[in-house]
Amino acid sequence: ACPQSYLFQYLYGIRQPTTLPLARGRLCHSALEQLFDLKPHERTLEHLNNLFRKNWSEERLKDDYKNLFDVDVAVSEESGHSSSTASEFIRDLNKEREWGQEALGLLDNYYELEDPRLVPRTNPIEREMWVQTKLNMDASKGVTGTNSNSSNSNNIDEAKFLIRGIVDRLDFVGIPNTPRSAFVDENTNNERSGCIRIVDYKTGKAPDFKYSPETNERIANENMWQLKIYALLLREMIAAGKTKSKGRNLKNVLGTDIRLM
């Protein structure tokens, strides 16, 4: 990420204009979120594509998106015996159609990785969930740090920084019973054994693992970094009892139950 972009956008509050990749990501994320409002057998690729089309038909002429496909064209103007050339913007429908097909291709790729019809309820247990916490500069401190009970852990002068983000989806994953893997099913109120899986949708370029094992491992670790941050934020929030869960989905989950899978 660009530090200068972060400065202007998040500290100075100067928003960047919406770009085609950003618009595509927003609309794909929205369709994937809405897909899980449907019953499992209804979560077909056709329905997912139609959700994208519906959302775009509602958004395409709003301020954030209405000028994305404008092209500058020359227009001749005549006045009496003289003529001049001016410019005006028109919407390039072919470019818009091509952009839409690329977005639908990304949703096709999603179906190659996961069949949402096989995702059992109560999953997802959370969608589009804000996670945030103030982290200590000293990694051993914090709610779940190794020295979390230290007398200095509540020092208001201690250096901390705020990190926040939006988790696309949280799933419950069943695992063999362990002393700390209890989870209360919201529908049945029965205790189940398992952990939490963090799911993050990506609409950018996929990593290319064509290099040496060492380089491929580094690329994989770099691409997992965001998930690791989300896991840390969730762990701290859950352990501190500060999750703003929409239901009781995370009420009985310990911070140590977060897994990267």
Side-chain angles (χ1 to χ4, degrees):
C2 173
Q4 193 78 353
S5 174
Y6 182 92
L7 174 67
F8 284 112
Q9 187 164 324
Y10 296 104
L11 299 186
Y12 292 167
I14 303 174
R15 288 190 59 190
Q16 293 181 335
T18 301
T19 62
L20 291 176
L22 181 58
R24 183 169 55 233
R26 285 178 184 171
L27 272 293
C28 285
H29 275 72
S30 179
L32 287 164
E33 179 186 7
Q34 294 169 4
L35 183 69
F36 288 95
D37 288 330
L38 304 176
K39 296 177 181 178
H41 72 274
E42 297 175 336
R43 300 171 190 163
T44 63
L45 180 57
E46 180 182 6
H47 280 163
L48 178 59
N49 287 342
N50 286 338
L51 284 170
F52 175 88
R53 294 186 179 101
K54 177 178 179 294
N55 290 339
W56 180 239
S57 68
E58 295 172 351
E59 298 290 333
R60 64 191 294 270
L61 297 182
K62 292 185 178 179
D63 289 344
D64 281 348
Y65 306 110
K66 65 182 182 181
N67 300 122
L68 281 177
F69 302 98
D70 284 357
V71 292
D72 191 1
V73 295
V75 179
S76 296
E77 296 181 344
E78 295 187 4
S79 176
H81 298 289
S82 64
S83 64
S84 61
T85 301
S87 295
E88 70 176 30
F89 291 95
I90 64 171
R91 193 178 189 92
D92 188 335
L93 295 180
N94 288 329
K95 185 178 179 182
E96 181 179 3
R97 189 178 298 109
E98 180 181 342
W99 171 87
Q101 290 299 324
E102 291 174 354
L104 294 177
L106 291 175
L107 298 179
D108 289 348
N109 292 342
Y110 161 73
Y111 260 77
E112 293 182 9
L113 298 173
E114 177 183 57
D115 187 341
R117 294 170 296 184
L118 302 180
V119 176
R121 289 187 167 175
T122 59
N123 287 328
I125 61 173
E126 291 291 343
R127 285 172 285 168
E128 298 296 316
M129 176 184 176
W130 272 100
V131 290
Q132 66 177 38
T133 192
K134 289 185 177 180
L135 297 178
N136 294 72
M137 295 297 291
D138 184 347
S140 68
K141 298 176 182 178
V143 179
T144 61
T146 55
N147 294 329
S148 58
N149 294 323
S150 169
S151 60
N152 294 326
S153 61
N154 293 321
N155 187 341
I156 60 174
D157 295 325
E158 210 165 35
K160 295 184 179 182
F161 55 98
L162 176 67
I163 297 183
R164 62 181 181 176
I166 300 178
V167 173
D168 293 333
R169 195 175 107 201
L170 293 181
D171 288 353
F172 170 80
V173 180
I175 60 174
N177 287 327
T178 66
R180 58 180 177 82
S181 61
F183 177 86
V184 175
D185 189 310
E186 187 180 35
N187 290 335
T188 65
N189 207 35
N190 293 328
E191 186 176 282
R192 298 163 61 190
S193 181
C195 61
I196 301 302
R197 175 171 57 195
I198 302 171
V199 179
D200 188 55
Y201 304 123
K202 292 298 182 187
T203 55
K205 184 179 179 181
D208 193 347
F209 298 106
K210 63 179 181 181
Y211 306 100
S212 66
E214 294 78 12
T215 301
N216 288 341
E217 182 179 4
R218 176 180 58 79
I219 293 173
N221 287 333
E222 289 174 353
N223 281 272
M224 285 286 287
W225 184 250
Q226 185 176 357
L227 288 178
K228 293 177 180 179
I229 296 296
Y230 286 158
L232 174 61
L233 298 181
L234 275 169
R235 189 181 72 176
E236 291 281 305
M237 291 173 62
I238 292 171
K242 294 182 179 180
T243 53
K244 296 181 179 179
S245 178
K246 297 174 184 176
R248 296 166 38 221
N249 298 329
L250 297 175
K251 182 179 180 181
N252 295 85
V253 178
L254 300 176
T256 46
D257 292 334
I258 302 296
R259 301 285 195 279
L260 290 174
M261 304 181 69

Coordinates of all heavy atoms in Angstrom, one line a residue, residues 41 75 89 96 131 158 177 190:
H41 N -29.6 -24.8 -1.5 CA -29.8 -25.3 -2.8 C -30.1 -24.2 -3.8 O -30.0 -24.4 -5.0 CB -31.0 -26.3 -2.8 CG -32.3 -25.7 -2.6 ND1 -32.8 -25.4 -1.4 CD2 -33.2 -25.2 -3.5 CE1 -34.0 -24.8 -1.5 NE2 -34.3 -24.7 -2.8
V75 N -17.2 17.0 -30.9 CA -18.5 17.3 -31.5 C -18.3 18.6 -32.3 O -17.8 19.6 -31.8 CB -19.6 17.5 -30.4 CG1 -20.9 17.9 -31.0 CG2 -19.7 16.2 -29.6
F89 N -18.8 14.1 -23.2 CA -18.6 12.8 -22.7 C -19.9 11.9 -22.9 O -21.0 12.4 -22.7 CB -18.3 12.8 -21.2 CG -17.0 13.4 -20.9 CD1 -16.9 14.7 -20.5 CD2 -15.9 12.6 -20.9 CE1 -15.6 15.2 -20.2 CE2 -14.6 13.1 -20.6 CZ -14.5 14.4 -20.3
E96 N -18.4 -0.9 -20.8 CA -19.2 -1.3 -19.6 C -19.5 -2.8 -19.6 O -19.4 -3.5 -18.6 CB -20.4 -0.5 -19.4 CG -21.3 -0.8 -18.2 CD -22.5 0.1 -18.1 OE1 -22.8 0.9 -19.0 OE2 -23.3 -0.1 -17.1
V131 N -13.8 -5.4 12.3 CA -12.9 -5.8 13.4 C -12.0 -4.7 13.6 O -11.4 -4.1 12.7 CB -12.2 -7.1 13.1 CG1 -13.1 -8.3 13.1 CG2 -11.5 -7.0 11.7
E158 N 1.2 4.0 27.5 CA 1.8 2.9 26.7 C 1.4 3.2 25.2 O 0.3 3.6 24.8 CB 1.2 1.6 27.1 CG 2.2 0.4 26.8 CD 1.7 -0.8 27.6 OE1 0.5 -1.0 27.7 OE2 2.6 -1.5 28.1
N177 N -13.0 -32.9 19.5 CA -13.2 -32.3 20.8 C -11.8 -31.9 21.4 O -10.9 -32.8 21.4 CB -14.0 -33.2 21.7 CG -15.4 -33.2 21.4 OD1 -16.0 -32.2 20.9 ND2 -16.1 -34.4 21.6
N190 N -27.1 -26.1 21.1 CA -26.3 -27.2 21.6 C -24.8 -26.9 21.4 O -24.4 -26.1 20.5 CB -26.6 -28.5 20.7 CG -28.0 -29.0 20.9 OD1 -28.5 -28.9 22.0 ND2 -28.6 -29.6 19.9

